[in-house]
Amino acid sequence: MNTGPDISPSPQASFAVVLEASEEWLIDRILAIARQRNYIRYTSTLREAWRLSIASLSEQLLGALAICPEIPELSPDTDFAASPGAAFAVEEARRHRARGIDLSLFLGLMKYYRQSYVDLVDERSEVLEDAQWCRRFVDRFFDRIEICFCAAWAEGGEDERIDEMRGANRHLANEKNKYLTIFESLAPPVILLDTEGRVDNLNFAAARLFRKSAIPGSAYYGGENEQGVFAWLEEELEAFLPGEGTDLVLEKSLEDGDHELVFEVRLQRMLDVSGKFTGIAVTLNDITARKASERAVRERDSQYHALFENNHSVMLLIDPASGAIVDANPAACTFYGYDHAALTAMNIDQVNTLDREELRIELERARGEEKRVFHFRHRRCDGEVRDVEVFSGPIRVRGRGLLYSIVHDVTERRRLQDEIWHQANYDALTGLPNRSLFFDRLGQAIAQARRNGSKGALLFIDLDHFKAVNDTHGHAGGDQLLREAARRLAACVRQSDTVARMGGDEFTVLLAEAAEEEAVEEACRRILQQLSRPFEVSGQEARVSGSVGIALFPLHGEDPAVLLQRADMAMYTAKEKGRNGVWLSGIPT
């Protein structure tokens, strides 16, 4: 192999790459600390709220990295107002002070934001050019942010503070009025219960249903709540309150004057931002009409059978307990190729290719209405297997609980979906995986190597003198050479490895679980040898060669983008050294 020095990015550049790729890691880290230190008692538990904070801090830190060639140290004469992130700190101070947040609480949480970024530096130290430099940069950046924050917090007199509190109170009043407007306007009756199951509030629809009031908002402003427990719900609450379930759905019949109404009642636990149980929301959905409709359907059972027989869609009645096909319409007999007697003597597992136990579970899910749409593969009488979409749900036929299944043949649709997926993930010219699929496989290989303690290699290959082929033989000739080069590259590696086209005349090779450097060298030797052989292009001979850059994982990092960048840089070094050679990133060989 050729030798030469490593071309490394600056500490700022390597840190910026890590920051841009680590947003999810930082969110996970600060959320874990906030839960551990009980900050979520005063803050949101929504992940997106923490994402906004991390995104803002990372944006400021990236800006500081871009304009500060050295670590921004502190001195008595430092103009903190001109510091990177100063405007951000001032805005955050004013916003949190107006919300009534205590300064010590905010600064305490800021310390853990700082710790999260320091932990990121430690976690990614192997891909950073100078981890110690990055730690010091993070510390000084947050020092300046906190100083600016405290200075902005101290600004303004008592009158300004009072104005801020008045504004905050007006905001809270508006939020309360918004909540009441929405709550009172809800069409379904809604009841809010406290942690003991007593009535805390109920909206206008619920108050009217239970003859409490005919005036919207009276339960909130008028103090007309009896703080009691509804007798019709007492038994269910007694079982639900001490349990761990998040919700409960049941049916209840309630009197409304001379009429009996049927409701689907949903009980849902309410949790505050820290996850603490604060009460139960009870929603009543009037299903009186639906229940009446269901009774009518049952009464029209004989009419259903005529519809079943004459429908052009494939329809089956299945016993969910045994899987027996109880009935099949003529369309089903035509589709499967059996007569009615033969089909209704069969079990659904003789048609469905799914494993018997898995199929049993799916039948139970359909019977329990946990799932209504299924995708299976069904075998017909002639042995042909078709992709089908099945709409299935419970039905009572002559007092018997069955599954009513409507079967649609979606074989052609699935074929088109597979074709679209292939077009999105494979290069149209060479048939190799494209950049998107390659990155997916590289990420999987890195994760597997991390789990198993194994190694792998990423090769970045550029064809030497390819432009001359295009100039001489035209783009059609160039395409012909690229297809043959792809075929040769694929023949140089194992089936478990991946060869991909990144675009133009650039290819990548993923050598998964390449434990020994000798194996990588052997693969590179085969690649150079195959690419150096003459190509036949438009009936004429054409010659190219290959320049190969290598990055090893985990030696050179575990981030796909960083690995690709290092392999790319190594490839350019190989070109500079005279082409038709190999260069290992960071280690001259």
Side-chain angles (χ1 to χ4, degrees):
M1 294 186 182
N2 291 325
T3 61
D6 183 22
I7 302 176
S8 303
S10 66
Q12 295 99 317
S14 68
F15 192 20
V17 170
V18 168
L19 270 178
E20 290 173 348
S22 302
E23 181 174 285
E24 297 299 329
W25 190 97
L26 287 165
I27 296 170
D28 290 339
R29 181 64 179 149
I30 188 61
L31 257 176
I33 293 175
R35 290 192 174 99
Q36 181 183 9
R37 302 302 179 191
N38 205 27
Y39 278 95
I40 56 173
R41 180 179 177 186
Y42 305 100
T43 60
S44 173
T45 56
L46 294 175
R47 186 177 180 85
E48 288 307 306
W50 294 87
R51 184 186 302 280
L52 290 174
S53 298
I54 288 295
S56 298
L57 282 170
S58 293
E59 181 182 1
Q60 300 301 318
L61 186 51
L62 286 167
L65 286 168
I67 65 175
C68 297
E70 302 295 337
I71 294 173
E73 297 291 355
L74 310 176
S75 73
D77 302 318
T78 300
D79 181 7
F80 290 102
S83 299
F88 165 78
V90 170
E91 178 60 28
E92 288 297 294
R94 292 173 177 169
R95 186 165 64 88
H96 285 81
R97 189 177 65 186
R99 288 173 53 200
I101 299 297
D102 183 75
L103 175 59
S104 60
L105 184 151
F106 186 83
L107 285 179
L109 188 55
M110 281 296 291
K111 297 296 182 184
Y112 287 118
Y113 273 106
R114 178 201 298 254
Q115 184 62 51
S116 297
Y117 282 85
V118 171
D119 290 346
L120 175 64
V121 172
D122 293 340
E123 177 74 16
R124 301 288 193 265
S125 60
E126 61 185 21
V127 299
L128 294 171
E129 289 305 313
D130 188 341
Q132 183 64 30
W133 186 94
C134 296
R135 288 191 198 95
R136 289 181 56 201
F137 196 99
V138 169
D139 278 335
R140 292 298 173 263
F141 171 79
F142 274 91
D143 287 340
R144 287 173 172 250
I145 286 283
E146 291 170 12
I147 290 172
C148 293
F149 186 89
C150 291
W153 192 286
E155 289 179 354
E158 188 65 25
D159 290 343
E160 185 177 339
R161 301 285 178 89
I162 292 173
D163 287 342
E164 286 181 353
M165 294 304 295
R166 285 174 177 167
N169 286 334
R170 284 195 297 271
H171 177 73
L172 288 174
N174 289 336
E175 290 297 306
K176 182 190 72 173
N177 289 333
K178 185 189 299 182
Y179 149 73
L180 286 174
T181 299
I182 295 172
F183 184 64
E184 292 292 336
S185 301
L186 291 173
V190 179
I191 308 162
L192 302 182
L193 307 179
D194 63 18
T195 56
E196 302 297 323
R198 296 185 298 268
V199 177
D200 185 46
N201 197 10
L202 64 168
N203 69 348
F204 176 55
R208 186 170 55 184
L209 173 66
F210 297 109
R211 308 281 192 234
K212 297 290 184 182
S213 174
I215 303 174
S218 62
Y220 187 86
Y221 290 109
E224 297 183 8
N225 281 345
E226 299 175 1
Q227 293 295 320
V229 177
F230 281 113
W232 57 270
L233 198 56
E234 190 170 2
E235 182 179 342
E236 286 80 6
L237 281 174
E238 185 177 347
F240 184 68
L241 277 169
E244 297 182 356
T246 57
D247 63 346
L248 174 67
V249 179
L250 50 105
E251 287 186 12
K252 285 288 182 179
S253 297
L254 301 173
E255 295 291 336
D256 182 25
D258 298 330
H259 303 284
E260 182 182 84
L261 302 178
V262 183
F263 289 94
E264 180 183 77
V265 182
R266 180 179 292 274
L267 284 70
Q268 292 178 292
R269 292 183 185 275
M270 296 186 294
L271 307 177
D272 65 13
V273 293
S274 64
K276 181 182 178 182
F277 172 54
T278 59
I280 297 173
V282 182
T283 307
L284 291 85
N285 182 28
D286 189 346
I287 58 172
T288 308
R290 192 185 82 189
K291 300 300 286 187
S293 176
E294 289 174 355
R295 287 194 297 270
V297 169
R298 288 193 294 270
E299 292 167 359
R300 293 195 299 269
D301 185 54
S302 59
Q303 297 177 2
Y304 139 78
H305 192 70
L307 177 64
F308 179 81
E309 288 295 316
N310 297 320
N311 204 298
H312 293 293
S313 296
V314 175
M315 296 182 176
L316 299 173
L317 284 180
I318 301 168
D319 183 343
S322 65
I325 299 175
V326 176
D327 202 356
N329 71 346
C333 295
T334 300
F335 176 71
Y336 291 109
Y338 297 98
D339 61 32
H340 186 268
L343 191 54
T344 54
M346 297 170 64
N347 192 287
I348 191 62
D349 64 15
Q350 295 175 265
V351 169
N352 198 310
T353 62
L354 200 64
D355 174 82
R356 180 173 296 183
E357 178 59 21
E358 291 180 301
L359 181 56
R360 184 192 65 79
I361 293 172
E362 296 293 77
L363 290 175
E364 284 299 318
R365 296 177 72 186
R367 178 162 65 174
E369 297 187 88
E370 298 174 27
K371 186 177 178 181
R372 296 181 180 274
V373 182
F374 302 83
H375 292 90
F376 296 128
R377 305 198 77 204
H378 281 188
R379 182 179 290 104
R380 303 199 299 194
C381 178
D382 59 6
E384 183 181 5
V385 175
R386 306 290 289 180
D387 290 304
V388 295
E389 184 176 66
V390 181
F391 295 82
S392 189
I395 188 173
R396 297 198 69 82
V397 179
R398 292 179 289 277
R400 185 179 180 186
L402 300 173
L403 287 179
Y404 185 91
S405 297
I406 303 174
V407 182
H408 296 297
D409 186 349
V410 295
T411 305
E412 182 61 19
R413 187 178 78 188
R414 292 293 295 271
R415 186 192 66 78
L416 290 173
Q417 289 172 343
D418 291 343
E419 183 176 320
I420 291 170
W421 183 90
H422 190 276
Q423 291 173 355
N425 289 277
Y426 283 84
D427 176 51
L429 176 65
T430 64
L432 294 177
N434 61 15
R435 173 182 290 266
S436 173
L437 183 56
F438 179 77
F439 267 100
D440 180 68
R441 291 186 179 177
L442 177 58
Q444 293 181 33
I446 292 172
Q448 183 175 353
R450 188 183 299 118
R451 287 193 302 270
N452 301 340
S454 57
K455 303 175 183 178
L458 167 60
L459 313 183
F460 197 105
I461 304 163
D462 185 86
L463 299 184
D464 303 323
H465 312 300
F466 178 73
K467 183 177 182 300
V469 175
N470 266 341
D471 293 342
T472 303
H473 300 282
H475 288 291
D479 289 347
Q480 183 181 353
L481 188 145
L482 288 173
R483 284 192 292 268
E484 174 60 17
R487 188 193 65 77
R488 294 185 187 182
L489 287 173
C492 289
V493 298
R494 303 165 299 181
Q495 284 190 341
S496 58
D497 300 324
T498 297
V499 179
R501 184 188 179 204
M502 305 301 280
D505 60 339
E506 293 179 337
F507 298 85
T508 52
V509 176
L510 169 61
L511 301 176
E513 299 187 7
E516 301 299 331
E517 186 172 326
E518 291 76 8
V520 179
E521 292 178 356
E522 176 62 20
C524 292
R525 186 191 63 77
R526 290 195 299 269
I527 288 171
L528 293 181
Q529 185 181 55
Q530 287 297 318
L531 292 179
S532 298
R533 288 172 46 217
F535 288 81
E536 182 179 332
V537 177
S538 302
Q540 300 180 41
E541 182 180 290
R543 287 185 175 272
V544 297
S545 59
S547 294
V548 183
I550 307 173
L552 306 176
F553 56 88
L555 177 62
H556 295 133
E558 297 184 13
D559 182 277
V562 172
L563 281 170
L564 185 67
Q565 180 187 39
R566 293 197 166 186
D568 187 22
M569 292 170 61
M571 180 274 293
Y572 276 107
T573 302
K575 278 190 176 293
E576 291 170 0
K577 297 297 179 180
R579 297 184 172 88
N580 193 29
V582 179
W583 197 262
L584 178 62
S585 174
I587 302 177
T589 57

